[in-house]
Amino acid sequence: MKQYRSLISIIFLINFGFSSLIEANCQGRIDGKVQDVSGSPVPYANVLLLSATDSSVIKGTVTEESGSFYFNDLNKAQYLLSVTLIGYTKYWDHIMVQANTEIDLPIIRLTESENELDEVQVTAQLPLYEKKIDRMVINVQSSITSAGNSVLEVLQKSPGVMVNSQSNAIQLNGKGGVTIMINNRIQRLPSEVVFQMLDGMSAANIKKIELITTPPAKYDAEGMGGIIHLILAESEDLGTNGSFGLTGGMNARETLGVNFNLNYRKNKFSFFIDYSLLYDHNVQNSRNRFQISNPGFVSSFHSIMDRPYKLTTQNVRTGLEWELNSNTRIGSILSGFQRHHHMFASSIFNNKITADSSRYGTIKIEELNLWNHFTSNIHLIHKINQHSSLRLDLDYNWSKNNNPSDYLINSNYPERQLSTSEIIDVTKETPIHMKVAGLDYTLHPSDAFKFEAGFKGTFSNFKNNVEVLFTQNERTSRNEELSILAYLEENVLAGYVSAEWTINEFSQIIGGLRFENTQTYISTATEKGVVDWDFGNFFPSIFYRRVIDNKFSLNFSYSRRIERPNFNDLAPFVFFVDPNSFFSGNPALLPAKINGVKTDINFKRASMSLEYSHIKDPIAPFQPEFDSLNSRQVFRSQNLDYQKIYSINLSLPWIITDWWDIQLNTGSFYTQLRTAHLEENKNSNFFNFTANVTHNFKLPHDFSVEITGLYQSKMNWGIWQFDPISNLNVGFQKKLNNNRGTLRLTFDDIFYNNVLDLTSFIPEYNMSSLFVLDRHVQAVRLNYTRNFGNKKLRGVKIKSGSEELQKRVQTN
């Protein structure tokens, strides 16, 4: 408690100190007001400040309800002022700004246009990839090949991202423990829940994805690999509008999808609802083999499994916000998803037990994996004054997993001329409850400075009930080793301070400090305190940006983060692959801690990143082990001793012509690691390489083509070694006339090269393992989308520095 009181005191002292700041503005300022010819204020008019030399956008804003606007921190220069609004004649003016002066403009009066337009369409062709000071931004709606995909499939094609569907794990730039965030809200849920949610979420509802390798202090310190931030598409237009889409296609079987979005915004009230439904009838094929070299004899087990399944996923998200007055808004967001996975699998296996004993046979498996998830949020945003605001968030999350599976195993022992049959019944139920409360304070005394501070508490509990029954010769018995009832309680209390300072037009710095205290307690029906943690950590972060000239800049960053084991990793569970192999949890896992430094060298739109990360106790998912007592292979997460990653990443856009551009993203990684869970631990050093290339072709008559290619070289994941994988995707797009929608035809994994192939070796048992998973990524899809509704343009806020976006915004 002393730690909390000290932290609270520090934060409040800093808060009061910064609250007393007066606006330090040593540069020029412009104040203005826009009215119509009758003298009434004109709200939501677009106001742009442009360079008088080349008409490039310097700053942008919209007028307030009173018609007023202002621009701060202006350098001494000649500017062009532009004021526009649908139905009015455009206003232009030349303004000379001197240092340390404030200009109070005469009232700007807009006159109605004689030829009033019913609607103005603003078309912005965003670049597919954008490099920011602390993140890589993927503009999903700019990608043709993402049409009809789930969010998980889009991530699989993203630069630096590796997805492992078998262990529900995602790596970013060679590091695991990635945290998923949706609209600035961390998804603090078991990785399997988040993974399945992404697998069923339509990419049509995603505006962009941010890959944040070194997150600032305002975000949770959870996630060794950083944060993948999904920003959902929400309209800022007045009136009622929305979109809908339909998808049909084939992978191994049929795949279907529908998505719908509706937005309503008028005066002080706004409302939205998003819904998506994905149906996937597909087949996964897997191959599992391990062998142990004994003196004069090699024992082995080999199985091949076909896993046809039907997967239906529904996602819904709705919210509303009400402006109580000019300073206070209150809102609520509700979201949920349901995932229904039904599989009928068949397997053949061959087991060489001893030199004179063997077994072969078949397995029939029926598995139901049902996830239900619900999230509710209430938030209050209060503007204290012109420069500061408070935000209060209260969240409640509920999830439940029901995962029964039945195994019918028929075995033959040829040496003994014996045949047996047994049934394994596994039931697993896991309800999860989570409550989150957060308070954030923001002080923005000038455009050059921003201060943030906040507190957050996350309180989680779940129950994991696993029952394993064996039936043989009509006798049923409970397996006491694999059956278990476990309880978890986890509380995480956090506080942070963060500041952004634009020192001048050449330098910007962002720094922060976060403190988190974690209390985790796990018990079972037979043992108390299987896991009992209570620890606190500080997590500093700093970013510095230096602009050399208008083409060249440098970024530097440092951050410390933590990866806590997820609930399923800690809680015992069992999932059978075959009679001799199963997945399980590991209550002995420790949190992993990472320190990382990164330097970005930016030239025009190109950038090169140099990064070093040192990870203590990294968590390697589903590592193979051998249970010598029962002659079984067990997969479960394990802590390594350490992992060091040296990387170079290159992002290179190349505009060939006005109808053809290329985006190249590559990463080279040198990794050093040492195991900690084996009897004979060893060091491993390896190099791996990734490349992601996108070609965009704009053709006549609103046709366009996109070709994307992905390559990942051989790499390691703990003691597993992954063989190289590649992926080639092609998409065709046609915008129909008269705004009748957009058609997209996509082909994924054309050459069928996206197959996971893993090998490992455990020296103390002379055990080598092979695991191959074919998820049948290859698919063809036809997607149709269309926007609808009335739109009265509310206004576009344009931030300086987005040169490419400004060049590509056109009014037709």
Side-chain angles (χ1 to χ4, degrees), residues 244 735-743 784-787:
F244 68 90
K735 292 185 177 180
L736 304 181
N737 296 332
N738 302 319
N739 296 321
R740 290 183 295 174
T742 302
L743 278 174
Y784 172 76
T785 58
R786 183 171 182 175
N787 297 326

Side-chain angles (χ1 to χ4, degrees), residues 526-686:
T526 58
E527 184 179 358
K528 305 298 182 183
V530 176
V531 173
D532 191 0
W533 294 338
D534 188 350
F535 60 89
N537 297 103
F538 284 96
F539 301 95
S541 64
I542 187 167
F543 305 84
Y544 177 72
R545 179 179 179 87
R546 177 68 180 178
V547 177
I548 308 302
D549 55 36
N550 60 353
K551 296 180 181 180
F552 185 65
S553 65
L554 297 172
N555 299 343
F556 170 81
S557 65
Y558 162 78
S559 70
R560 180 186 299 165
R561 299 187 57 78
I562 189 172
E563 181 190 2
R564 302 176 184 89
N566 65 53
F567 297 160
N568 277 338
D569 277 344
L570 287 173
F573 73 95
V574 61
F575 171 74
F576 283 90
V577 179
D578 48 52
N580 282 45
S581 305
F582 63 88
F583 291 89
S584 181
N586 182 6
L589 283 176
L590 299 173
K593 298 174 184 177
I594 178 174
N595 287 277
V597 294
K598 183 180 179 184
T599 299
D600 298 315
I601 304 171
N602 309 300
F603 181 73
K604 293 184 178 179
R605 292 176 58 200
S607 67
M608 182 175 67
S609 301
L610 307 176
E611 187 174 1
Y612 168 72
S613 301
H614 182 277
I615 309 163
K616 179 60 178 174
D617 301 319
I619 300 173
F622 96 109
Q623 297 297 290
E625 302 173 48
F626 183 64
D627 178 3
S628 57
L629 183 62
N630 298 295
S631 298
R632 292 187 303 206
Q633 182 179 222
V634 182
F635 302 112
R636 59 178 179 172
S637 295
Q638 293 286 357
N639 285 114
L640 306 180
D641 183 13
Y642 68 85
Q643 186 177 17
K644 300 177 183 179
I645 304 175
Y646 307 81
S647 66
I648 301 176
N649 297 279
L650 177 66
S651 178
L652 180 63
W654 186 10
I655 299 176
I656 308 298
T657 68
D658 58 354
W659 55 268
W660 178 17
D661 64 82
I662 301 173
Q663 176 73 40
L664 171 66
N665 293 280
T666 65
S668 300
F669 307 90
Y670 178 70
T671 302
Q672 299 174 317
L673 63 83
R674 178 174 175 81
T675 59
H677 63 287
L678 303 175
E679 293 181 13
E680 299 179 17
N681 290 298
K682 61 177 182 177
N683 297 317
S684 297
N685 303 325
F686 57 92

Side-chain angles (χ1 to χ4, degrees), residues 13-45:
L13 284 174
I14 296 176
N15 270 346
F16 285 121
F18 277 104
S19 297
S20 65
L21 288 176
I22 60 174
E23 185 170 344
N25 189 0
C26 63
Q27 296 178 301
R29 176 186 171 104
I30 296 175
D31 286 273
K33 181 173 288 188
V34 181
Q35 298 180 354
D36 60 20
V37 292
S38 67
S40 299
V42 178
Y44 309 129

Side-chain angles (χ1 to χ4, degrees), residues 82-85 88-92 110-111:
S82 164
V83 183
T84 58
L85 186 65
Y88 292 89
T89 301
K90 189 173 186 177
Y91 174 88
W92 283 98
L110 298 183
T111 58

Side-chain angles (χ1 to χ4, degrees), residues 64-325:
E64 299 177 354
E65 294 284 351
S66 62
S68 61
F69 67 92
Y70 71 91
F71 294 113
N72 260 342
D73 302 320
L74 300 176
N75 295 326
K76 177 181 178 181
Q78 182 80 22
Y79 297 98
L80 294 175
L81 181 70
S82 164
V83 183
T84 58
L85 186 65
I86 295 173
Y88 292 89
T89 301
K90 189 173 186 177
Y91 174 88
W92 283 98
D93 195 8
H94 291 262
I95 300 176
M96 181 64 193
V97 175
Q98 301 290 341
N100 302 305
T101 61
E102 294 187 9
I103 299 176
D104 194 0
L105 298 175
I107 290 177
I108 298 171
R109 300 194 184 276
L110 298 183
T111 58
E112 293 186 6
S113 173
E114 295 181 0
N115 298 317
E116 183 175 344
L117 298 177
D118 293 331
E119 181 179 11
V120 173
Q121 293 182 345
V122 178
T123 303
Q125 183 181 347
L126 295 170
L128 182 57
Y129 301 105
E130 291 183 274
K131 185 68 174 178
K132 304 294 185 180
I133 184 174
D134 60 349
R135 65 198 66 189
M136 165 78 78
V137 180
I138 304 171
N139 294 300
V140 177
Q141 300 303 318
S142 297
S143 172
I144 300 174
T145 56
S146 295
N149 283 192
S150 69
V151 174
L152 195 64
E153 290 172 319
V154 175
L155 289 175
Q156 288 173 333
K157 305 172 186 176
S158 301
V161 179
M162 182 175 181
V163 176
N164 189 322
S165 299
Q166 189 63 33
S167 60
N168 297 322
I170 299 175
Q171 277 194 332
L172 180 59
N173 285 350
K175 299 186 289 292
V178 175
T179 296
I180 302 297
M181 183 166 66
I182 299 178
N183 282 12
N184 284 305
R185 309 197 63 75
I186 296 289
Q187 304 300 297
R188 261 192 70 78
L189 295 167
S191 61
E192 183 178 0
V193 181
V194 177
F195 199 89
Q196 307 304 345
M197 180 176 64
L198 299 180
D199 196 23
M201 184 182 293
S202 173
N205 293 334
I206 302 296
K207 181 180 179 181
K208 58 185 176 181
I209 298 174
E210 296 179 336
L211 307 179
I212 312 174
T213 54
T214 50
K218 67 178 293 183
Y219 298 129
D220 287 3
E222 175 70 29
M224 183 178 64
I227 294 175
I228 295 180
H229 185 199
L230 309 178
I231 300 176
L232 304 185
E234 295 180 10
S235 173
E236 292 291 332
D237 295 332
L238 292 174
T240 303
N241 55 76
S243 64
F244 68 90
L246 301 170
T247 300
M250 289 285 296
N251 35 48
R253 304 286 191 273
E254 71 276 8
T255 177
L256 303 169
V258 60
N259 62 276
F260 174 79
N261 166 263
L262 178 68
N263 303 280
Y264 175 80
R265 186 183 295 271
K266 187 176 182 180
N267 299 327
K268 298 182 178 182
F269 179 76
S270 61
F271 168 81
F272 74 88
I273 183 169
D274 298 326
Y275 173 79
S276 66
L277 169 66
L278 289 177
Y279 170 79
D280 187 16
H281 185 191
N282 202 354
V283 175
Q284 287 187 352
N285 300 311
S286 64
R287 179 183 170 197
N288 179 41
R289 185 188 70 199
F290 68 92
Q291 60 184 35
I292 300 172
S293 298
N294 302 301
F297 169 71
V298 176
S299 63
S300 63
F301 181 87
H302 186 199
S303 69
I304 299 175
M305 182 178 293
D306 293 324
R307 299 164 53 90
Y309 65 85
K310 293 182 179 180
L311 172 63
T312 303
T313 308
Q314 299 183 78
N315 274 275
V316 63
R317 184 172 179 269
T318 184
L320 56 86
E321 193 169 77
W322 181 266
E323 187 175 317
L324 300 179
N325 53 52

Side-chain angles (χ1 to χ4, degrees), residues 380-439:
L380 176 71
I381 303 171
H382 177 65
K383 183 178 179 182
I384 300 173
N385 52 45
Q386 184 179 359
H387 304 298
S388 62
S389 63
L390 280 172
R391 177 177 177 123
L392 173 67
D393 282 280
L394 300 174
D395 291 74
Y396 173 72
N397 297 338
W398 172 85
S399 299
K400 185 176 182 180
N401 177 228
N402 184 21
N403 186 199
S405 52
D406 299 321
Y407 304 79
L408 173 60
I409 305 172
N410 294 308
S411 302
N412 293 284
Y413 300 83
E415 290 82 5
R416 293 190 286 167
Q417 297 183 347
L418 175 67
S419 297
T420 63
S421 180
E422 65 177 327
I423 298 174
I424 303 176
D425 291 318
V426 180
T427 59
K428 175 181 178 292
E429 286 192 357
T430 309
I432 304 169
H433 301 269
M434 184 178 301
K435 300 173 184 177
V436 184
L439 180 65

